[in-house]
Amino acid sequence: MRSRDFDLEFRERAARTRSWGLGLLGAAAVLWIWAAKELFIPYEPDLQEIVTVLGASVPVSVAGGSLFTIGTVSRRMSAHGQAMRELDKLAAQDR
């Protein structure tokens, strides 16, 4: 039962990591939308401000994409490990 508890806790941590990644990707999307709005509004845009916002969004989006990927892969690997353990149990019963 201890390995099951550990596996469930591992999946919860992976889900939290994935959620943080989605949050950071959402924040980057807000920055991109804001920069696009500033670029396409009818008055003279401040290009230095737009470039600064887009530059700030790069590390946020990279971190968000990385955390989302890590969380997703962790959950999938955990599910794969559980499926393999179940298949091993079935194979052992057939012998």
Side-chain angles (χ1 to χ4, degrees):
M1 281 301 190
R2 287 183 153 213
S3 64
R4 177 174 158 73
D5 294 338
F6 177 78
D7 194 44
L8 291 175
E9 183 180 327
F10 181 81
R11 287 184 190 195
E12 288 173 10
R13 280 189 313 230
R16 268 189 307 236
T17 302
R18 188 172 185 235
S19 297
W20 270 100
L22 279 175
L24 288 174
L25 285 173
V30 168
L31 290 173
W32 296 331
I33 290 169
W34 184 75
K37 178 191 76 76
E38 289 293 316
L39 188 60
F40 294 116
I41 51 178
Y43 68 89
E44 184 78 25
D46 182 13
L47 291 179
Q48 182 179 3
E49 182 181 11
I50 294 170
V51 170
T52 302
V53 169
L54 288 176
S57 73
V58 170
V60 174
S61 61
V62 168
S66 299
L67 288 175
F68 181 79
T69 302
I70 289 168
T72 300
V73 169
S74 296
R75 287 180 71 181
R76 301 238 0 210
M77 290 302 296
S78 176
H80 175 73
Q82 180 182 0
M84 294 303 292
R85 284 189 298 273
E86 290 175 6
L87 287 174
D88 287 344
K89 284 180 186 177
L90 287 175
Q93 288 176 356
D94 289 341
R95 289 184 196 169

